[in-house]
Structure formats: structure tokens, C-alpha cells
């Protein structure tokens, strides 16, 4: 293997690296996955869960694109919940608790069964770069392994430094050493680097907890699953999570150690995730609150290890222990390990193209926390896209880019390379201007055809998706074409305090009313007969209900997307000379030269580029 020139080398085997390696290998590229420890492939470094608000949509998109995250999550889940069910379907977000050990095992087994994929365990300590092109990697043993492209997915390992109170330990994760050498090589060839931080809570012994003092948090009564494939099934049995609260006493005990917290005494100067703050941050920032939620999450079916979600901290271990023992249900708690903060190198993502290839080095791709993101799902989606594009580059094919109206993955990558990030980037539904189009229920309809064209989705999967689309569209047409009489529908409308009908009307109009659900419509004989006759499953029924009830919003967003996509079609040459446009503002010129947007639409999203600047470009491009 050492004398071979690989098509793709993936450095790091976290969520980004695992998806990158799977995508490249499944597209036919000879791929090598290098990691410092093959036992820790796709390790859940933080909480044992996948999905959540907006993140669940990303996992569904990864699955529709032929990635493995959804399949692995389904096969190793211990609980499933659809979050935000009380809100509109654009906000529904699937989330699953996972068995941490089984999750990593399942990922490794899937990767080992993937053709074209080799593995090697060692630290990559440098990059082989010649004349602005990547040629391979150097390892800590002095080996040089050649490749046509390289995908860096180093997570928190680049010069990683762990903090627990006053103590500092070099490491990329608890019990694992940091990775050195790559940052220096990249800076030497002109990359800009920065530091970020993240944190994790203590892990505790579940046998030492009193669950009777906590609130039970069960899974959904009828759990769904992440993957659209028939390779997985919904859970038939689930494990409960629990919830408890901190208190004023807990906060006082924690404050005693604030002067020893590296995040408060200035020893950690890098920026942490705003939306997943440490317990110290929460107490400091929300001083008016006398309690905060703590979610008690089991780490698997059989282990007693428990993750204390909401208690992320870098305080000294004795302060953590004393304070946690004052939380209801934790009075006799035993630690498996204390919480800690970790600092690591990242590279501002404005240095990348939409393909996640670096602008400076041809054939070099970055994915995951190296780009300033936080979260397994955000990392996995970038790994998938980097693996796809590295493989396409080797094959001499056009790059693959998802637009903002096509996927949350498109929003994520466009945000990163257009706006950059100075704090760990986390995806939210509010970041997507087309979230009614980008729902978790239709990710397969949006992306399976694209995945099939790339060679990732099978023909069987494409046909399954097309059948679902055809059946749901036909059901919607049934509502548009079929009328219902007042005497049949009014008794149903009465039960939901909806205005009665005075004359016969199309069922689509009735079904569109906000408080009328499919369950209500099924009481109309013709509807129930249609469902039984065509054997419509839950996926088809949900899809049809959303298409009917939100048709106005969906059409409005499609129209808005079409308008903006006209700007997306106006390409800007890569080496365009912005300085020659005298009417552009100085700030716009500086930002445009740095970001090098590929389209006028992307240029319009750059902070500091005004509408008048876009008008200048539009006039010039028109010529």
C-alpha cells in the first residue's frame, strides 16, 4: 500500500472522515482512511445522540445522498423522538439516542465492508505539497503515502489541549494524544489558522443515581427512523432518558471555582459554542435564572455509563463533583470521568471553495471541525461532500454543489465559505431561508435523484423514492378533484370548532383548514377507502398531508428561490479583477477578493457587500 498512489486519502476517522471515506470509495475511488486509533472510528466524543433541531434534517439528507450516518443511527438507537411536533412540519426534527459503543462498532463494520477502502493506523504529521498541488501525506514514522487528493478531517486533534481547572493536558479527546505537524505545514504555505474551544460534561455511574427524583423522558410512542432505505427498522423497544434541574445551591458551589475555571480566568482565549454553553457560562450569562435543565442520557443498552447533558464544564474536578452531588437524584453520584474543555486549531472556512477544496492548494479538502463547525451532523455532511468532490475531481468530472434551496447541507457550506465563522458554527432551522422546502420528511425526494446520478444511491432506492412521490402526488390530486357534501363533512368540522360548509366543495379546500388533520379527513368514507385501496403507508400519508396543508407556503418559497436562482446562474470568473470597477465600495472590493464568490447570488450574501455593489456587478456582468 505504501508504494501505491491513492485517488483519495482521508485523514481522521470521526464523523466527517468516515462519511468522506465511504463516499469516495463507493464512487469507485481508491481510498485510504488514516487515523491514530482504528478502535475509535466514528467515536461519539460528546453526547450519545444524533439529530435534533435542524441536525435531524441533515442526517436525513446524508442518508438520501447515500451516506451511512442514518443507517448506523437506526441500527444502534436506544430511543427515538420527533422534536417540535407541535409546530409546523418545517420545524419537525428527528433525534435518536444511540448506544455509543455499538455506534462506533457499526460504523467500523460498514466501512470494512466497503469496496475500494483501505485503512492505516498512524498519525499524519505533515502534507506533501508540490507547486500548489497536494501529492500525499507524511506520517510520524516518516512514511510518505502518495495520493491525488487529500481530505483533512482532524476534528479537535490539531494541537489539541485539554483543560480541567488549572490542569492542562495535550490531547485531542480524553485519553488520546493530540495531532501535531499539519498546522505548521499549512501556515507555511499561506493558510490562516485560529483556535476554538468546546467542552464536554462529566460521565457518571448510572447505578449511583436516584431516578425517582427525576422526570422520565420516554421516546415516541410510535417511533420513526432516520434512514429511507429498507436496511433498517423502527425501534420496537426503547430506553428512557430522565431530566432533573440545577438549583441556587448548585450555582453557588460552582461559583466557588470560577476563579479556577480556565474559561473565566483568561487562560482559554479561544471562542466556544454559543448555543451549547458550559454550565459556568449559563450561570454567568443567565444570572436571573435559579435553575437549569439537566438531561440524564444513558450511553447504551447494557452499559451503566450516563452522559450528563447540560453540565458541560472545565471547572476543577473536585468542584464539579461537589456541585453535581447537590443536583436532585445525584446525591450519591460516582464519576467515570470529569468534564473538560478542549482547545484546538481550525482554519477559517472562507479559504475554501463550495466543493470544500482549499483555494490555496489544488486537491486538498477540509471537512468538519477544522472548518469551525460543531456537531457530529455538521461534520458528517461536510465529510460526505468533500469525499464526493475529491472523487469527482480524480475522475475529471464536474464538481457537485448543493444550493441553499436544495438542502441544509447547502446552507451550511454556503454560510461557512461566504460568511466564515468566528465561533463554532451550529446549524439551526432559522439559518435556512427555504426551510419549508427543506423538511426532514422530503429529503429523499430532494436528493435521491442527485445521489443516484453520482452512483451512490442504488436503482432500487431511486425507484422506491419515485413510487413514494407518485403515490403522494396522486393522493393530493384526489383531494383536489374529489368533492364532499356538507352533511358528510359538517359533523367532523363541528368536532374541531371549524365553520360548517353550506354547499358541496373540494376536499382540498377543507383539508387546508389549519385545525383539520388527516385523521379528521379519514372519517370521510371516500378518503379512508382510497387509503386502504392504494395501501398508503405513513411516509406517503405524511407527505400528502404536508403538501395539502402547506401548499401556499411551499409555492411562495419556490417562487422566491427561483428569483434568487437567477442570480445564482450569473457566474463570476475566478480571477475577476474587482479593482477595475471604480463604483464598487472599498469594503466590497476587499471582501470579494478574499471570498472569490462563484456567483452573483453568493456575492450578495457576503457581509459588507451592499445591494448597490451587487447592482454594479449586475450591470458589468450584463455587458
Amino acid at each position: 500500500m505504501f508504494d501505491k498512489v491513492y485517488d483519495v486519502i482521508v485523514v481522521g476517522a470521526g464523523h466527517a472522515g468516515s462519511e468522506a471515506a465511504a463516499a469516495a470509495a463507493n464512487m469507485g475511488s481508491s481510498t485510504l482512511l488514516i487515523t491514530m486509533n482504528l478502535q475509535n472510528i466514528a467515536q461519539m466524543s460528546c453526547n450519545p445522540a444524533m439529530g435534533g433541531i435542524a441536525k435531524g434534517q441533515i442526517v436525513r439528507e446524508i442518508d438520501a445522498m447515500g451516506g451511512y450516518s442514518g443507517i448506523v443511527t437506526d441500527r444502534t438507537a436506544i430511543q427515538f423522538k420527533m422534536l417540535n411536533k407541535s409546530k409546523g412540519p418545517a420545524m419537525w426534527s428527528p433525534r435518536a439516542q444511540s448506544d455509543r459503543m455499538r455506534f462506533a462498532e457499526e460504523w467500523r463494520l460498514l466501512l470494512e465492508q466497503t469496496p475500494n477502502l483501505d485503512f492505516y493506523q498512524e498519525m499524519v504529521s505533515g502534507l506533501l505539497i508540490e507547486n500548489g498541488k497536494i501529492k500525499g501525506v507524511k506520517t510520524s514514522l516518516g512514511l510518505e503515502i502518495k495520493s491525488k487528493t487529500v481530505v483533512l478531517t482532524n476534528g479537535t486533534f490539531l494541537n489539541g489541549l485539554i483543560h480541567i481547572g488549572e490542569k492542562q493536558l495535550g490531547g485531542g479527546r480524553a485519553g488520546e494524544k493530540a495531532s501535531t505537524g499539519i498546522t505548521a505545514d499549512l501556515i507555511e504555505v499561506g493558510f490562516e489558522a485560529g483556535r476554538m474551544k468546546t467542552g464536554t460534561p462529566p460521565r457518571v455511574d448510572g447505578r449511583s443515581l436516584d431516578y425517582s427524583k427525576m422526570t422520565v423522558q420516554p421516546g415516541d410512542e410510535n417511533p420513526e427512523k432516520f434512514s429511507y432505505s429498507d436496511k433498517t427498522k423502527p425501534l420496537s423497544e426503547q430506553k428512557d432518558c430522565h431530566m432533573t434541574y440545577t438549583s441556587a445551591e448548585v450555582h453557588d458551589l460552582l461559583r466557588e471555582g470560577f476563579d479556577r475555571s480556565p474559561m473565566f480566568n483568561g487562560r482559554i482565549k479561544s471562542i466556544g459554542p454559543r448555543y451549547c454553553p458550559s454550565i459556568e457560562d449559563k450561570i454567568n450569562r443567565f444570572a436571573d435564572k435559579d435553575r437549569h435543565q439537566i438531561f440524564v442520557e444513558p450511553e447504551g443498552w447494557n452499559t451503566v455509563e450516563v452522559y450528563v447533558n447540560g453540565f458541560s464544564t472545565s471547572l476543577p474536578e473536585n468542584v464539579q463533583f461537589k456541585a453535581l452531588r447537590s443536583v436532585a437524584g445525584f446525591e450519591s453520584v460516582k464519576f467515570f470521568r470529569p468534564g473538560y474543555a478542549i482547545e484546538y486549531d481550525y482554519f477559517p472556512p472562507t479559504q475554501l471553495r463550495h466543493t470544500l477544496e482549499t483555494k490555496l492548494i489544488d486537491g486538498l479538502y477540509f471537512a468538519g471541525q477544522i472548518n469551525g463547525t460543531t456537531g457530529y451532523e455538521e461534520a458528517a455532511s461536510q465529510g460526505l461532500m468533500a469525499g464526493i468532490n475529491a472523487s469527482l475531481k480524480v475522475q475529471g468530472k464536474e464538481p457537485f454543489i448543493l444550493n441553499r434551496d436544495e438542502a441544509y447541507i447547502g446552507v451550511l457550506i454556503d454560510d461557512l465559505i461566504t460568511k466564515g465563522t468566528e465561533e463554532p458554527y451550529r446549524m439551526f432551522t432559522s439559518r435556512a431561508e427555504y426551510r419549508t422546502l427543506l423538511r426532514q420528511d422530503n429529503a429523499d425526494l430532494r436528493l435521491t435523484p442527485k445521489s443516484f446520478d453520482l452512483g451512490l444511491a442504488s436503482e432500487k432506492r431511486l425507484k422506491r423514492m419515485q413510487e413514494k412521490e407518485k403515490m403522494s402526488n396522486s393522493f393530493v390530486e384526489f383531494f383536489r378533484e374529489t368533492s364532499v357534501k356538507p352533511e358528510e363533512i359538517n359533523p367532523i368540522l363541528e368536532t374541531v370548532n371549524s365553520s360548517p360548509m353550506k354547499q358541496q366543495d373540494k376536499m382540498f379546500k377543507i383539508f387546508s383548514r389549519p385545525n383539520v388533520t388527516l385523521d379528521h379527513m379519514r372519517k370521510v368514507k371516500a378518503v379512508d377507502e382510497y387509503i386502504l385501496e392504494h395501501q398508503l403507508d405513513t411516509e406517503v400519508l405524511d407527505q400528502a398531508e404536508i403538501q395539502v396543508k402547506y401548499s401556499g407556503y411551499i409555492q411562495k418559497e419556490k417562487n422566491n428561490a427561483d428569483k434568487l436562482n437567477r442570480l445564482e446562474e450569473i457566474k463570476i470568473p475566478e480571477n475577476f479583477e474587482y479593482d477595475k470597477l471604480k463604483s464598487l465600495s472599498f469594503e466590497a472590493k476587499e471582501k470579494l477578493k478574499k471570498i472569490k464568490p462563484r456567483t452573483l447570488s453568493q456575492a450578495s450574501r457576503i457581509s459588507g457587500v451592499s445591494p448597490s455593489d451587487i447592482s454594479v456587478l449586475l450591470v458589468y456582468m450584463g455587458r
Side-chain angles (χ1 to χ4, degrees):
M1 63 185 281
F2 301 126
D3 56 354
K4 178 177 180 176
V5 178
Y6 283 93
D7 290 330
V8 182
I9 287 179
V10 179
V11 180
H15 299 262
S18 296
E19 287 288 7
N26 282 325
M27 288 174 68
S29 296
S30 61
T31 306
L32 177 65
L33 179 60
I34 308 181
T35 179
M36 291 198 288
N37 189 347
L38 284 168
Q39 303 307 314
N40 293 337
I41 284 177
Q43 181 76 265
M44 290 181 133
S45 310
C46 204
N47 62 321
M50 286 291 279
I53 309 301
K55 292 166 173 279
Q57 282 87 329
I58 290 176
V59 178
R60 284 260 162 103
E61 290 177 352
I62 291 168
D63 183 74
M65 285 299 305
Y68 289 167
S69 289
I71 290 171
V72 172
T73 302
D74 286 346
R75 288 180 179 174
T76 61
I78 62 175
Q79 189 193 87
F80 186 95
K81 272 188 175 181
M82 186 66 75
L83 307 180
N84 281 346
K85 259 301 210 187
S86 61
K87 299 180 181 178
M91 305 296 284
W92 298 355
S93 301
R95 184 182 191 269
Q97 290 293 136
S98 292
D99 185 312
R100 183 194 297 277
M101 289 185 285
R102 289 241 36 251
F103 187 92
E105 177 192 37
E106 186 63 34
W107 250 112
R108 176 163 177 169
L109 294 175
L110 265 178
L111 288 173
E112 286 182 357
Q113 292 158 24
T114 302
N116 308 312
L117 182 56
D118 292 341
F119 302 85
Y120 187 57
Q121 177 172 300
E122 211 202 318
M123 183 198 292
V124 171
S125 57
L127 301 172
L128 301 174
I129 300 168
E130 287 177 23
N131 303 319
K133 288 189 174 183
I134 197 75
K135 295 294 180 181
V137 299
K138 295 177 284 189
T139 75
S140 55
L141 289 178
L143 295 172
E144 293 191 350
I145 308 176
K146 302 289 177 65
S147 67
K148 297 169 187 171
T149 60
V150 170
V151 182
L152 293 183
T153 69
N154 302 78
T156 58
F157 281 78
L158 289 179
N159 294 318
L161 188 62
I162 292 171
H163 296 263
I164 304 174
E166 297 94 341
K167 296 164 188 160
Q168 291 180 322
L169 315 158
R173 192 160 49 203
E176 297 177 62
K177 63 182 180 180
S179 170
T180 55
I182 291 176
T183 298
D185 276 10
L186 291 172
I187 289 173
E188 192 178 326
V189 294
F191 281 92
E192 176 193 345
R195 295 282 276 176
M196 277 191 179
K197 73 176 181 190
T198 189
T200 190
R203 309 300 198 276
V204 304
D205 189 334
R207 296 169 299 183
S208 64
L209 304 182
D210 184 352
Y211 292 103
S212 68
K213 295 182 179 178
M214 306 179 197
T215 306
V216 180
Q217 302 267 289
D220 287 348
E221 196 174 332
N222 297 302
E224 297 179 42
K225 63 191 187 87
F226 270 105
S227 181
Y228 293 102
S229 77
D230 53 8
K231 294 178 180 176
T232 65
K233 294 177 181 174
L235 285 168
S236 56
E237 173 188 358
Q238 300 188 70
K239 200 172 174 84
D240 288 338
C241 295
H242 289 79
M243 185 175 71
T244 183
Y245 293 90
T246 60
S247 62
E249 180 192 356
V250 174
H251 297 181
D252 288 341
L253 289 168
L254 289 167
R255 282 191 190 96
E256 288 176 15
F258 275 14
D259 62 329
R260 299 166 65 198
S261 166
M263 287 188 273
F264 276 77
N265 61 22
R267 200 164 71 237
I268 296 183
K269 293 184 170 60
S270 45
I271 299 167
R274 182 191 309 188
Y275 305 105
C276 188
S278 67
I279 190 69
E280 301 98 288
D281 275 337
K282 283 193 275 193
I283 292 168
N284 199 49
R285 220 191 292 168
F286 308 107
D288 56 319
K289 292 191 182 295
D290 57 8
R291 69 175 195 168
H292 294 286
Q293 291 176 326
I294 300 289
F295 295 98
V296 183
E297 301 178 346
E299 299 251 350
W301 284 115
N302 301 311
T303 181
V304 297
E305 189 172 358
V306 167
Y307 180 87
V308 190
N309 195 342
F311 206 87
S312 178
T313 179
S314 63
L315 285 164
E317 62 275 19
N318 59 328
V319 176
Q320 295 182 33
F321 184 67
K322 190 177 174 184
L324 201 51
R325 281 214 153 180
S326 295
V327 173
F330 281 75
E331 293 84 356
S332 303
V333 70
K334 293 178 182 176
F335 271 29
F336 273 13
R337 74 161 190 249
Y340 61 86
I342 182 164
E343 281 187 288
Y344 54 93
D345 293 341
Y346 86 104
F347 292 83
T350 50
Q351 300 170 99
L352 304 175
R353 306 179 197 280
H354 272 88
T355 56
L356 297 180
E357 184 180 19
T358 64
K359 293 171 184 171
L360 270 176
I361 303 299
D362 189 62
L364 178 63
Y365 297 77
F366 291 172
Q369 284 177 283
I370 192 171
N371 289 337
T373 60
T374 179
Y376 309 143
E377 304 82 0
E378 289 88 343
S381 67
Q382 292 170 70
L384 174 83
M385 296 299 284
I388 287 170
N389 278 304
S391 188
L392 289 171
K393 187 178 183 75
V394 169
Q395 294 167 16
K397 295 179 180 175
E398 284 295 304
F400 178 73
I401 294 164
L402 288 168
N403 293 329
R404 295 181 72 91
D405 63 329
E406 293 178 312
Y408 271 94
I409 297 172
V411 175
L412 166 72
I413 292 172
D414 186 64
D415 276 356
L416 289 174
I417 69 166
T418 302
K419 301 171 185 174
T421 186
E422 293 177 354
E423 62 184 24
Y425 178 103
R426 179 179 179 179
M427 180 51 75
F428 290 101
T429 49
S430 57
R431 295 193 191 271
E433 57 271 52
Y434 306 116
R435 54 186 175 273
T436 310
L437 301 179
L438 309 182
R439 306 182 310 277
Q440 54 81 31
D441 61 272
N442 70 350
D444 59 336
L445 307 183
R446 291 185 275 122
L447 300 176
T448 307
K450 297 177 186 294
S451 177
F452 177 76
D453 291 342
L454 289 166
L456 288 171
S458 65
E459 190 171 355
K460 179 185 173 185
R461 192 155 179 180
L462 179 68
K463 284 181 177 173
R464 189 169 181 265
M465 180 281 298
Q466 289 170 335
E467 185 63 20
K468 171 185 168 181
E469 186 172 39
K470 181 183 167 187
M471 291 172 86
S472 57
N473 288 345
S474 296
F475 194 30
V476 171
E477 278 309 302
F478 163 79
F479 283 107
R480 287 189 194 278
E481 293 167 3
T482 312
S483 299
V484 63
K485 294 176 181 177
E487 55 265 31
E488 189 173 7
I489 196 68
N490 282 345
I492 299 165
L493 295 176
E494 201 176 305
T495 64
V496 290
N497 297 320
S498 191
S499 305
M501 285 172 55
K502 293 188 172 69
Q503 59 190 38
Q504 184 170 298
D505 209 342
K506 299 294 183 193
M507 281 202 267
F508 190 94
K509 194 173 175 183
I510 307 298
F511 196 6
S512 299
R513 294 187 183 188
N515 47 353
V516 177
T517 67
L518 182 58
D519 287 337
H520 296 126
M521 294 304 295
R522 287 191 76 158
K523 291 172 184 172
V524 176
K525 189 180 176 185
V527 176
D528 202 47
E529 284 177 349
Y530 185 98
I531 292 169
L532 293 171
E533 183 189 341
H534 294 85
Q535 298 180 329
L536 304 185
D537 62 20
T538 307
E539 276 189 39
V540 172
L541 295 176
D542 286 348
Q543 189 61 225
E545 182 167 15
I546 289 163
Q547 291 295 336
V548 172
K549 297 191 76 61
Y550 294 87
S551 58
Y553 298 104
I554 291 168
Q555 193 54 52
K556 187 178 176 184
E557 277 198 3
K558 278 181 179 169
N559 294 340
N560 288 341
D562 289 343
K563 285 176 192 170
L564 276 173
N565 280 339
R566 288 171 205 155
L567 286 182
E568 204 69 62
E569 288 166 9
I570 303 174
K571 300 282 189 280
I572 302 175
E574 190 166 342
N575 297 313
F576 184 77
E577 294 177 25
Y578 293 101
D579 286 325
K580 66 184 180 186
L581 299 186
K582 306 298 181 195
S583 304
L584 279 181
S585 68
F586 176 77
E587 185 182 7
K589 285 179 187 176
E590 292 300 302
K591 293 285 180 72
L592 291 164
K593 285 191 286 187
K594 182 181 179 183
I595 306 292
K596 294 180 180 175
R598 66 188 179 94
T599 68
L600 213 53
S601 180
Q602 188 196 352
S604 71
R605 294 189 292 273
I606 297 172
S607 173
V609 177
S610 68
S612 61
D613 294 318
I614 295 300
S615 296
V616 172
L617 285 170
L618 195 54
V619 169
Y620 187 88
M621 296 297 167
R623 290 177 192 160

